[in-house]
Amino acid sequence: MSEATAPKAVDGTLNFLDDRLGSTTFFKRNMKKVFPDHWSFMLGEIALYSFIILLLTGTFLTLWFKPSMIEVVYDGSYTKLNGVRMSEAYASTLHISFDVRGGLLMRQIHHWAAILFMASIMAHMLRVFFTGAYRKPREINWLIGIGMFTLGMVEGLFGYSLPDDLLSGTGLRITQGVAESIPVVGSYLYMFLFGGEFPEGNTGDIIPRLFTLHVLLIPALILGLVTAHMMIMWHQKHTAMPVKEQSEEKVYGYPFYPVFMAKTGAYFMFTFGVCALLGAFAQINPIWLFGPYDPGAISSGSQPDFYMGILEGSLRIMPNWETTAFGHTISWNVLIPALGPLGIIFTGAALWPFIEQWVTGDKRHHHVNDRPRNAPVRTGVGMAAVAFYGILWLAGANDVLAERFHVSLFATTWFFRFAIFIGPVVAYIVTKRICLGLQRSNAATIAHGVESGIIVMSPDGKFSERHEPAREEERAVILSKENTRPEAPAVDAAGIPAPSSKGPLGHVRSRLNRAWTFDDIPIEEHAHGEHGEGEHELEAGNENGKGSKQLSR
């Protein structure tokens, strides 16, 4: 039987490149590269495809947008604003929306793609965190992901500030206050960005500068990070979910060509289709209803895009604290909300892989992901961060919540002031208990099998349900859990303390390691008997960390 050959189109292309570059071996090897298959891996692909859509639609919008704050009198298709003085930026955005064929559709696809880009990055990073996919050797890619999310927030802020409407102008006013609240360098940073007082006496530099940053600098940085992220991922190979036949040494999945290429092409079409449908049927950012920016007006119930809601919420619930010393005033009521929450989340996320490695002492390479239930401390910390973010996001709409539910605005503000401290703690405790409960359920499945629904009666008249062994696929997933490795002893046989246990840091590490492994429930399976059938020994730890053995047939 002859060996299978590549399709003529592929083989011809590879031969063409090989004749000129000598690169056939590289291409042929990578065309056969195996990619694990799991639905959650699509989250990162959605982020990539959304970014591509953003580049394409943004290029279209750039052809008609005028980044200028020169005042003009509007005389266009939207008659309700005829005769109103506005900036050229706002007037050109109205022109795109009402006079350029397909302009409004492109604007809305662009905005929805930006929302989808940030949402998919957030979901992708949560998947990576909860499954431990950031562990060695993928810490650099985790840091790149945090950088992309941060740049995405700044890019989104600058993007929806360009039309110079009332909503975006209000956002710029908040940005001005945040910049000015930074001690020592704040006023310099503010004047460097805005080019003068905003909006009174504005030199007209802010929109052109935001335009340059939005369409040139930040997209180039994001594109560079995306390229680096993909190259590192390609070199290190994709992580895999725990399934049968999957191991740290062997990748189980589908080849890049033709399976993965066909699937990823379809995913791009699906992503574009969703953005197009949303752009066609779901209105977003109707700037003509807000009008041009006026510092003396503000629209009721206006909200930023969801990823900026955390900053809005922190500003709304922060008490009015200020400190004046040596003739200088520090506005804590602006500085802390602007830098505190995001600093806690992003700094904590960036340091977490190294903190976890230090606490657990695990410096091995990991290519198979954890199930979230098998790392209750990590999962609890992640859900605490989600609760922290979500509460601040909700607090950004405290006026809307107060109006809709007919409660006092001050009551909602004080509720969120308490919830921001209580909520994450409750989320951590509840999540950890759920993870441990799921681990016990898995332990029972290995020890006793699964319920069959068949009731049997014993000779003495007792009824019981017959249990059957779990399916091989389910057993492989459950047994993928790594039992916690014991901590290295603090002293050796000669009584000499280990270097890592000395000093305050050593004591902190020891206590954190104990907290990490305190409630772990190890699951081990041992087959006995001549026929190799169902005697399985289970070692299950109780809440005090003491092991007990159960035997089932």
Short mmCIF file of all heavy atoms in Angstrom, two decimals, residues 197-238:
data_model
loop_
_atom_site.label_atom_id
_atom_site.label_comp_id
_atom_site.label_asym_id
_atom_site.label_seq_id
_atom_site.Cartn_x
_atom_site.Cartn_y
_atom_site.Cartn_z
N GLU A 197 -5.61 72.90 28.98
CA GLU A 197 -6.76 72.71 29.85
C GLU A 197 -7.90 72.06 29.08
O GLU A 197 -8.14 72.39 27.92
CB GLU A 197 -7.22 74.05 30.43
CG GLU A 197 -6.22 74.72 31.35
CD GLU A 197 -6.03 73.97 32.65
OE1 GLU A 197 -6.95 73.23 33.02
OE2 GLU A 197 -4.97 74.12 33.28
N PHE A 198 -8.60 71.16 29.74
CA PHE A 198 -9.72 70.48 29.10
C PHE A 198 -10.99 70.74 29.89
O PHE A 198 -11.02 70.54 31.10
CB PHE A 198 -9.47 68.97 29.04
CG PHE A 198 -10.61 68.17 28.45
CD1 PHE A 198 -10.77 68.10 27.07
CD2 PHE A 198 -11.55 67.54 29.25
CE1 PHE A 198 -11.81 67.38 26.52
CE2 PHE A 198 -12.59 66.82 28.70
CZ PHE A 198 -12.72 66.75 27.34
N PRO A 199 -12.09 71.16 29.24
CA PRO A 199 -12.16 71.53 27.81
C PRO A 199 -11.94 73.01 27.58
O PRO A 199 -11.75 73.44 26.47
CB PRO A 199 -13.60 71.15 27.46
CG PRO A 199 -14.35 71.42 28.71
CD PRO A 199 -13.41 71.10 29.86
N GLU A 200 -12.01 73.83 28.67
CA GLU A 200 -11.84 75.26 28.48
C GLU A 200 -10.41 75.55 28.06
O GLU A 200 -9.45 75.06 28.64
CB GLU A 200 -12.16 76.02 29.78
CG GLU A 200 -13.60 75.86 30.23
CD GLU A 200 -13.83 74.62 31.07
OE1 GLU A 200 -12.86 73.88 31.26
OE2 GLU A 200 -14.97 74.39 31.51
N GLY A 201 -10.26 76.37 27.05
CA GLY A 201 -8.94 76.74 26.59
C GLY A 201 -8.19 75.61 25.92
O GLY A 201 -6.97 75.66 25.78
N ASN A 202 -8.91 74.58 25.52
CA ASN A 202 -8.24 73.41 24.92
C ASN A 202 -7.59 73.80 23.60
O ASN A 202 -8.18 74.52 22.79
CB ASN A 202 -9.26 72.29 24.70
CG ASN A 202 -8.58 70.96 24.45
OD1 ASN A 202 -7.92 70.79 23.44
ND2 ASN A 202 -8.74 70.04 25.38
N THR A 203 -6.41 73.33 23.42
CA THR A 203 -5.68 73.64 22.19
C THR A 203 -6.11 72.76 21.02
O THR A 203 -5.62 72.92 19.91
CB THR A 203 -4.17 73.48 22.42
OG1 THR A 203 -3.91 72.12 22.80
CG2 THR A 203 -3.69 74.41 23.53
N GLY A 204 -6.98 71.79 21.29
CA GLY A 204 -7.43 70.90 20.22
C GLY A 204 -6.51 69.73 19.98
O GLY A 204 -6.59 69.09 18.94
N ASP A 205 -5.61 69.44 20.94
CA ASP A 205 -4.64 68.37 20.73
C ASP A 205 -5.15 67.01 21.17
O ASP A 205 -4.62 65.98 20.72
CB ASP A 205 -3.35 68.67 21.50
CG ASP A 205 -2.59 69.84 20.89
OD1 ASP A 205 -2.84 70.14 19.71
OD2 ASP A 205 -1.75 70.44 21.60
N ILE A 206 -6.14 66.96 22.06
CA ILE A 206 -6.49 65.69 22.69
C ILE A 206 -7.02 64.67 21.69
O ILE A 206 -6.61 63.51 21.68
CB ILE A 206 -7.50 65.91 23.85
CG1 ILE A 206 -7.85 64.58 24.52
CG2 ILE A 206 -8.75 66.62 23.37
CD1 ILE A 206 -6.68 63.89 25.14
N ILE A 207 -7.95 65.05 20.80
CA ILE A 207 -8.51 64.09 19.85
C ILE A 207 -7.46 63.60 18.86
O ILE A 207 -7.35 62.39 18.62
CB ILE A 207 -9.73 64.69 19.12
CG1 ILE A 207 -10.87 64.95 20.11
CG2 ILE A 207 -10.20 63.77 18.01
CD1 ILE A 207 -11.40 63.71 20.79
N PRO A 208 -6.65 64.48 18.24
CA PRO A 208 -5.59 63.97 17.36
C PRO A 208 -4.62 63.03 18.06
O PRO A 208 -4.18 62.04 17.48
CB PRO A 208 -4.88 65.25 16.86
CG PRO A 208 -5.93 66.31 16.97
CD PRO A 208 -6.72 65.96 18.19
N ARG A 209 -4.29 63.34 19.32
CA ARG A 209 -3.37 62.47 20.04
C ARG A 209 -4.01 61.13 20.35
O ARG A 209 -3.37 60.08 20.21
CB ARG A 209 -2.91 63.16 21.32
CG ARG A 209 -2.00 64.35 21.06
CD ARG A 209 -1.56 65.04 22.33
NE ARG A 209 -0.67 66.16 22.03
CZ ARG A 209 -0.10 66.93 22.95
NH1 ARG A 209 -0.34 66.70 24.23
NH2 ARG A 209 0.69 67.93 22.59
N LEU A 210 -5.25 61.14 20.79
CA LEU A 210 -5.95 59.88 21.05
C LEU A 210 -6.08 59.07 19.76
O LEU A 210 -5.99 57.84 19.78
CB LEU A 210 -7.33 60.15 21.64
CG LEU A 210 -7.39 60.74 23.06
CD1 LEU A 210 -8.84 60.86 23.51
CD2 LEU A 210 -6.59 59.90 24.05
N PHE A 211 -6.32 59.75 18.66
CA PHE A 211 -6.46 59.07 17.37
C PHE A 211 -5.16 58.35 17.00
O PHE A 211 -5.18 57.18 16.58
CB PHE A 211 -6.83 60.10 16.29
CG PHE A 211 -7.00 59.51 14.91
CD1 PHE A 211 -8.13 58.80 14.59
CD2 PHE A 211 -6.00 59.66 13.96
CE1 PHE A 211 -8.29 58.25 13.32
CE2 PHE A 211 -6.14 59.13 12.69
CZ PHE A 211 -7.30 58.41 12.37
N THR A 212 -4.03 59.04 17.18
CA THR A 212 -2.74 58.42 16.86
C THR A 212 -2.49 57.21 17.75
O THR A 212 -2.05 56.15 17.28
CB THR A 212 -1.61 59.44 17.03
OG1 THR A 212 -1.86 60.57 16.17
CG2 THR A 212 -0.27 58.83 16.66
N LEU A 213 -2.77 57.37 19.03
CA LEU A 213 -2.58 56.26 19.96
C LEU A 213 -3.51 55.10 19.63
O LEU A 213 -3.13 53.94 19.70
CB LEU A 213 -2.80 56.73 21.40
CG LEU A 213 -1.79 57.73 21.96
CD1 LEU A 213 -2.26 58.25 23.32
CD2 LEU A 213 -0.42 57.09 22.10
N HIS A 214 -4.76 55.42 19.27
CA HIS A 214 -5.78 54.40 19.07
C HIS A 214 -5.58 53.61 17.78
O HIS A 214 -5.82 52.40 17.75
CB HIS A 214 -7.17 55.05 19.06
CG HIS A 214 -8.29 54.07 18.86
ND1 HIS A 214 -8.69 53.19 19.83
CD2 HIS A 214 -9.09 53.83 17.79
CE1 HIS A 214 -9.69 52.45 19.38
NE2 HIS A 214 -9.96 52.82 18.14
N VAL A 215 -5.17 54.27 16.71
CA VAL A 215 -5.09 53.58 15.42
C VAL A 215 -3.67 53.14 15.07
O VAL A 215 -3.50 52.36 14.12
CB VAL A 215 -5.63 54.48 14.28
CG1 VAL A 215 -7.03 54.94 14.57
CG2 VAL A 215 -4.70 55.67 14.02
N LEU A 216 -2.67 53.60 15.80
CA LEU A 216 -1.30 53.30 15.40
C LEU A 216 -0.50 52.63 16.52
O LEU A 216 -0.11 51.46 16.40
CB LEU A 216 -0.59 54.59 14.96
CG LEU A 216 0.82 54.43 14.37
CD1 LEU A 216 0.75 53.58 13.11
CD2 LEU A 216 1.44 55.80 14.06
N LEU A 217 -0.28 53.33 17.61
CA LEU A 217 0.65 52.84 18.62
C LEU A 217 0.11 51.61 19.37
O LEU A 217 0.76 50.55 19.40
CB LEU A 217 0.98 53.96 19.62
CG LEU A 217 1.93 53.56 20.75
CD1 LEU A 217 3.27 53.11 20.19
CD2 LEU A 217 2.12 54.72 21.73
N ILE A 218 -1.07 51.74 19.98
CA ILE A 218 -1.58 50.63 20.81
C ILE A 218 -1.91 49.40 19.97
O ILE A 218 -1.57 48.28 20.38
CB ILE A 218 -2.80 51.10 21.64
CG1 ILE A 218 -2.38 52.26 22.56
CG2 ILE A 218 -3.37 49.95 22.45
CD1 ILE A 218 -3.49 52.81 23.41
N PRO A 219 -2.56 49.52 18.79
CA PRO A 219 -2.75 48.32 17.97
C PRO A 219 -1.45 47.64 17.59
O PRO A 219 -1.38 46.40 17.54
CB PRO A 219 -3.48 48.85 16.73
CG PRO A 219 -4.18 50.07 17.20
CD PRO A 219 -3.26 50.68 18.21
N ALA A 220 -0.40 48.42 17.34
CA ALA A 220 0.90 47.82 17.01
C ALA A 220 1.45 47.05 18.20
O ALA A 220 2.01 45.94 18.04
CB ALA A 220 1.88 48.91 16.58
N LEU A 221 1.29 47.60 19.40
CA LEU A 221 1.74 46.89 20.60
C LEU A 221 0.95 45.61 20.81
O LEU A 221 1.52 44.56 21.13
CB LEU A 221 1.62 47.81 21.82
CG LEU A 221 2.55 49.02 21.87
CD1 LEU A 221 2.23 49.90 23.08
CD2 LEU A 221 4.01 48.57 21.92
N ILE A 222 -0.37 45.69 20.65
CA ILE A 222 -1.21 44.50 20.82
C ILE A 222 -0.85 43.46 19.78
O ILE A 222 -0.75 42.25 20.08
CB ILE A 222 -2.70 44.86 20.75
CG1 ILE A 222 -3.09 45.77 21.92
CG2 ILE A 222 -3.57 43.61 20.76
CD1 ILE A 222 -4.53 46.24 21.89
N LEU A 223 -0.65 43.89 18.53
CA LEU A 223 -0.28 42.96 17.47
C LEU A 223 1.05 42.28 17.78
O LEU A 223 1.22 41.06 17.56
CB LEU A 223 -0.20 43.69 16.13
CG LEU A 223 0.10 42.84 14.90
CD1 LEU A 223 -0.98 41.78 14.70
CD2 LEU A 223 0.21 43.73 13.65
N GLY A 224 2.00 43.04 18.31
CA GLY A 224 3.28 42.45 18.69
C GLY A 224 3.12 41.42 19.80
O GLY A 224 3.73 40.35 19.76
N LEU A 225 2.28 41.73 20.80
CA LEU A 225 2.05 40.79 21.89
C LEU A 225 1.32 39.55 21.40
O LEU A 225 1.60 38.43 21.84
CB LEU A 225 1.26 41.47 23.01
CG LEU A 225 2.01 42.55 23.80
CD1 LEU A 225 1.09 43.16 24.85
CD2 LEU A 225 3.26 41.98 24.46
N VAL A 226 0.35 39.74 20.50
CA VAL A 226 -0.37 38.59 19.95
C VAL A 226 0.61 37.68 19.20
O VAL A 226 0.56 36.44 19.33
CB VAL A 226 -1.50 39.05 19.01
CG1 VAL A 226 -2.06 37.89 18.21
CG2 VAL A 226 -2.62 39.70 19.82
N THR A 227 1.48 38.28 18.39
CA THR A 227 2.48 37.49 17.64
C THR A 227 3.39 36.72 18.58
O THR A 227 3.64 35.53 18.40
CB THR A 227 3.30 38.41 16.74
OG1 THR A 227 2.43 39.15 15.87
CG2 THR A 227 4.27 37.61 15.90
N ALA A 228 3.89 37.41 19.62
CA ALA A 228 4.76 36.74 20.59
C ALA A 228 4.00 35.63 21.31
O ALA A 228 4.54 34.54 21.53
CB ALA A 228 5.29 37.77 21.59
N HIS A 229 2.75 35.89 21.66
CA HIS A 229 1.92 34.90 22.35
C HIS A 229 1.75 33.64 21.49
O HIS A 229 1.91 32.51 21.98
CB HIS A 229 0.55 35.51 22.66
CG HIS A 229 -0.34 34.64 23.47
ND1 HIS A 229 -0.28 34.56 24.84
CD2 HIS A 229 -1.34 33.80 23.10
CE1 HIS A 229 -1.18 33.71 25.28
NE2 HIS A 229 -1.84 33.23 24.24
N MET A 230 1.47 33.84 20.21
CA MET A 230 1.26 32.70 19.32
C MET A 230 2.56 31.93 19.08
O MET A 230 2.57 30.69 19.04
CB MET A 230 0.68 33.19 17.99
CG MET A 230 -0.68 33.84 18.10
SD MET A 230 -1.95 32.71 18.67
CE MET A 230 -2.02 31.57 17.32
N MET A 231 3.67 32.63 18.93
CA MET A 231 4.95 31.97 18.68
C MET A 231 5.38 31.14 19.89
O MET A 231 5.86 30.01 19.75
CB MET A 231 6.02 33.01 18.33
CG MET A 231 5.82 33.68 16.98
SD MET A 231 7.03 34.98 16.65
CE MET A 231 8.54 34.02 16.55
N ILE A 232 5.21 31.70 21.08
CA ILE A 232 5.57 30.96 22.29
C ILE A 232 4.66 29.75 22.46
O ILE A 232 5.11 28.65 22.80
CB ILE A 232 5.50 31.88 23.53
CG1 ILE A 232 6.57 32.96 23.43
CG2 ILE A 232 5.66 31.07 24.81
CD1 ILE A 232 6.48 34.02 24.52
N MET A 233 3.36 29.94 22.23
CA MET A 233 2.42 28.83 22.34
C MET A 233 2.74 27.73 21.33
O MET A 233 2.68 26.54 21.66
CB MET A 233 0.99 29.35 22.13
CG MET A 233 -0.11 28.32 22.38
SD MET A 233 -0.52 27.32 20.93
CE MET A 233 -1.23 28.57 19.85
N TRP A 234 3.09 28.12 20.13
CA TRP A 234 3.43 27.13 19.09
C TRP A 234 4.68 26.34 19.49
O TRP A 234 4.75 25.13 19.29
CB TRP A 234 3.65 27.85 17.77
CG TRP A 234 3.74 26.93 16.59
CD1 TRP A 234 4.85 26.25 16.16
CD2 TRP A 234 2.68 26.56 15.70
NE1 TRP A 234 4.55 25.51 15.06
CE2 TRP A 234 3.22 25.67 14.75
CE3 TRP A 234 1.34 26.92 15.61
CZ2 TRP A 234 2.46 25.12 13.72
CZ3 TRP A 234 0.57 26.38 14.59
CH2 TRP A 234 1.13 25.49 13.65
N HIS A 235 5.65 27.04 20.07
CA HIS A 235 6.89 26.37 20.47
C HIS A 235 6.66 25.45 21.67
O HIS A 235 7.15 24.31 21.69
CB HIS A 235 7.96 27.41 20.80
CG HIS A 235 9.19 26.83 21.42
ND1 HIS A 235 10.09 26.05 20.73
CD2 HIS A 235 9.67 26.90 22.70
CE1 HIS A 235 11.07 25.67 21.53
NE2 HIS A 235 10.83 26.16 22.74
N GLN A 236 5.91 25.94 22.66
CA GLN A 236 5.73 25.16 23.89
C GLN A 236 4.63 24.11 23.77
O GLN A 236 4.51 23.25 24.62
CB GLN A 236 5.40 26.10 25.06
CG GLN A 236 6.53 27.04 25.43
CD GLN A 236 6.13 27.99 26.54
OE1 GLN A 236 4.95 28.19 26.81
NE2 GLN A 236 7.12 28.57 27.19
N LYS A 237 3.83 24.22 22.74
CA LYS A 237 2.66 23.36 22.52
C LYS A 237 1.54 23.77 23.47
O LYS A 237 1.76 24.32 24.54
CB LYS A 237 2.99 21.87 22.70
CG LYS A 237 4.04 21.36 21.74
CD LYS A 237 4.29 19.88 21.94
CE LYS A 237 5.30 19.36 20.94
NZ LYS A 237 6.60 20.02 21.03
N HIS A 238 0.33 23.49 23.01
CA HIS A 238 -0.87 23.87 23.77
C HIS A 238 -1.02 22.95 24.97
O HIS A 238 -0.67 21.78 24.93
CB HIS A 238 -2.10 23.75 22.86
CG HIS A 238 -3.20 24.66 23.23
ND1 HIS A 238 -3.89 24.55 24.42
CD2 HIS A 238 -3.77 25.71 22.57
CE1 HIS A 238 -4.82 25.48 24.47
NE2 HIS A 238 -4.76 26.21 23.38
#
